[in-house]
Amino acid sequence: MKKKIIISIASTCIICAGIGTYFLLSHFSTKNDDSTIYVQKVSSLTGSFNTQNRYSGIVESQDTLDIAQDASKTITNFYVEVGQEVKKGDKLFTYDVSEAQNAIQQKQLDIEAQNNEITAQNNTISDYNEELKNGGDKIEIQARINDANYAIRQAQNTIKATQTEITQLNNQIHNSTVTSTIDGIIKEVNIDGGTDANGNTKPIISITQTGEYRIKGTLTEMGMLSEGSDVIVRSRIDEDKVYTGTITKVDTDPQTDNNNYYTNSSDAATKYPFYVSLDTSDGLMLGQHVYIELNNGQNTLKSGIWLDSSFICYDDNQNPYVWVSEKDHLKKRNIQIGDIDDETYTTQITSGLQNTDYIAWPDETFQEGLRTTSEMESE
């Protein structure tokens, strides 16, 4: 009899457990089907919340020195090669000066000939004066003297002009060796000249300046940014690394490029480059890709997690918490907060939340256990 009672009780428990499990699974199944909650990674929410106003940029040299060849001269010697580091004043190449040297010799002969002409005219004037003393025709002789004086003045003017030309040629010889005006690295050496993809004549030598970097960004519409605007520059690898700077130039001439990292479109897009001068470029690398944002007081140099305050909820005792995703299900997690920035409407999270966590924008209908997803639903 006791065994029958025990078996009966056990059967009843199993049936109840089965019914409870059924309703429980049905309860969660309903929530999974109808109440999947979208969550976002904390690291993507902190720092700047106006990502639509971000611009892509790239770290480049502060300046590039392009040296064009004088088409009237021939280069005889190159002293540098691509990749070589140069200092201000280092020799780059030398022009052929043999033609200038020959020209100077010829012009010196021309001056000598003009001096001989002046001497001859002076002797002629002396002869004319002797004729006057001996009673020659004053009118006729004076006319000859005037012609001789005019020939002398012409010769003197020719000498002055030739001396100026010799000075210019000497300057060419003195400046025949072209030197670098900046510290940098040789980017191009185009010994054979040629043109680039746009048909422009290539520089004979191009030097990338070393030292401080600047940021080059691109606009797709004029008027979105202006010179003198303060910006922040954020590393695309680690968004906690930020830099401050000022827009120093916005090109008004559009550039068209079909293969540019600023766009995913295969069609050509009109772009307007702009440039940012940084307060410091320590830690940046040439060619590194970055984000550029207008500095609207985000105070991005603050350390730690600064979360949009609207993500934070408070219980009846005013204890702060956020809705997090744990094992793809929603869970209420208590956090500790620090300072609050009213200007940017952000709150410092001192503990309870990591950049790798996923959180949901709060809703009064949330319950723990709802299924979560980080993938945006498509219509």
Side-chain angles (χ1 to χ4, degrees):
M1 188 66 179
K2 289 182 180 179
K3 289 183 178 179
K4 290 182 178 180
I5 293 172
I6 292 173
I7 292 172
S8 177
I9 293 172
S11 299
T12 302
C13 290
I14 292 172
I15 293 171
C16 291
I19 293 172
T21 302
Y22 171 78
F23 281 108
L24 183 63
L25 291 175
S26 298
H27 176 70
F28 278 108
S29 176
T30 301
K31 289 185 178 181
N32 290 345
D33 292 339
D34 301 330
S35 303
T36 301
I37 308 304
Y38 177 65
V39 291
Q40 301 176 73
K41 196 171 184 180
V42 171
S43 61
S44 69
L45 296 169
T46 57
S48 174
F49 303 98
N50 295 319
T51 56
Q52 69 272 22
N53 292 327
R54 277 183 174 179
Y55 306 92
S56 294
I58 188 169
V59 179
E60 66 172 25
S61 169
Q62 187 66 247
D63 195 13
T64 298
L65 176 64
D66 290 333
I67 301 175
Q69 181 180 355
D70 187 336
S72 65
K73 300 177 184 178
T74 302
I75 296 175
T76 56
N77 295 312
F78 280 91
Y79 302 107
V80 294
E81 58 185 17
V82 173
Q84 180 178 335
E85 184 176 353
V86 294
K87 299 293 184 181
K88 183 178 180 179
D90 286 353
K91 294 190 296 184
L92 301 176
F93 60 89
T94 299
Y95 285 116
D96 182 8
V97 297
S98 59
E99 185 175 343
Q101 291 171 335
N102 293 334
I104 288 175
Q105 292 177 356
Q106 180 59 51
K107 291 183 182 302
Q108 288 173 338
L109 291 175
D110 292 341
I111 290 176
E112 184 178 345
Q114 294 300 322
N115 283 325
N116 290 336
E117 174 66 16
I118 291 172
T119 299
Q121 293 296 338
N122 283 327
N123 291 335
T124 299
I125 291 173
S126 296
D127 292 340
Y128 290 154
N129 287 329
E130 287 296 325
E131 289 186 29
L132 285 175
K133 292 179 181 179
N134 295 327
D137 189 331
K138 291 182 179 182
I139 296 177
E140 181 181 351
I141 294 174
Q142 188 60 50
R144 294 175 183 176
I145 291 175
N146 292 340
D147 290 341
N149 283 326
Y150 178 75
I152 290 173
R153 290 194 299 273
Q154 280 188 316
Q156 290 172 337
N157 289 335
T158 299
I159 290 173
K160 288 180 180 180
T162 305
Q163 287 173 335
T164 299
E165 293 173 354
I166 290 175
T167 299
Q168 292 172 345
L169 290 169
N170 278 323
N171 288 336
Q172 288 183 20
I173 295 173
H174 179 72
N175 298 320
S176 60
T177 298
V178 178
T179 60
S180 176
T181 58
I182 61 173
D183 296 342
I185 297 175
I186 302 299
K187 180 182 177 182
E188 294 181 47
V189 178
N190 298 305
I191 297 177
D192 299 325
T195 57
D196 59 21
N198 297 321
N200 301 316
T201 301
K202 291 182 179 179
I204 192 68
I205 285 182
S206 182
I207 305 173
T208 300
Q209 186 177 20
T210 54
E212 294 295 319
Y213 295 134
R214 69 177 179 179
I215 306 298
K216 179 182 179 181
T218 296
L219 297 170
T220 56
E221 184 178 343
M222 287 298 294
M224 300 173 68
L225 296 176
S226 59
E227 294 179 8
S229 298
D230 293 331
V231 297
I232 58 174
V233 175
R234 196 185 303 275
S235 169
R236 298 181 70 169
I237 301 173
D238 182 359
E239 293 201 23
D240 287 336
K241 292 183 179 179
V242 294
Y243 303 82
T244 56
T246 305
I247 296 176
T248 55
K249 181 181 179 182
V250 179
D251 279 349
T252 56
D253 295 329
Q255 294 182 357
T256 300
D257 187 358
N258 293 334
N259 299 306
N260 191 288
Y261 67 88
Y262 294 112
T263 178
N264 293 324
S265 173
S266 60
D267 296 328
T270 301
K271 304 177 182 67
Y272 300 88
F274 67 94
Y275 302 90
V276 175
S277 177
L278 298 169
D279 296 327
T280 177
S281 60
D282 295 341
L284 289 174
M285 296 181 295
L286 194 65
Q288 180 179 345
H289 290 229
V290 295
Y291 292 121
I292 305 167
E293 307 166 7
L294 281 174
N295 191 344
N296 294 319
Q298 299 97 315
N299 198 12
T300 54
L301 292 177
K302 294 183 294 188
S303 60
I305 297 176
W306 286 80
L307 187 66
D308 189 312
S309 298
S310 59
F311 278 91
I312 301 172
C313 304
Y314 295 87
D315 61 20
D316 294 338
N317 296 320
Q318 293 303 303
N319 296 316
Y321 66 91
V322 292
W323 290 100
V324 300
S325 175
E326 293 186 4
K327 296 182 179 180
D328 296 330
H329 287 85
L330 201 63
K331 181 178 177 60
K332 184 188 296 184
R333 182 187 294 176
N334 292 328
I335 58 173
Q336 291 184 354
I337 63 175
D339 295 332
I340 297 176
D341 190 333
D342 293 328
E343 291 186 2
T344 59
Y345 195 61
T346 56
T347 300
Q348 184 185 29
I349 311 299
T350 58
S351 68
L353 196 64
Q354 303 294 328
N355 278 313
T356 53
D357 287 328
Y358 285 80
I359 63 175
W361 195 290
D363 187 279
E364 60 183 9
T365 63
F366 282 178
Q367 299 178 27
E368 289 189 322
L370 293 176
R371 183 171 292 278
T372 60
T373 181
S374 59
E375 296 183 2
M376 185 70 72
E377 296 181 359
S378 57
E379 295 296 335

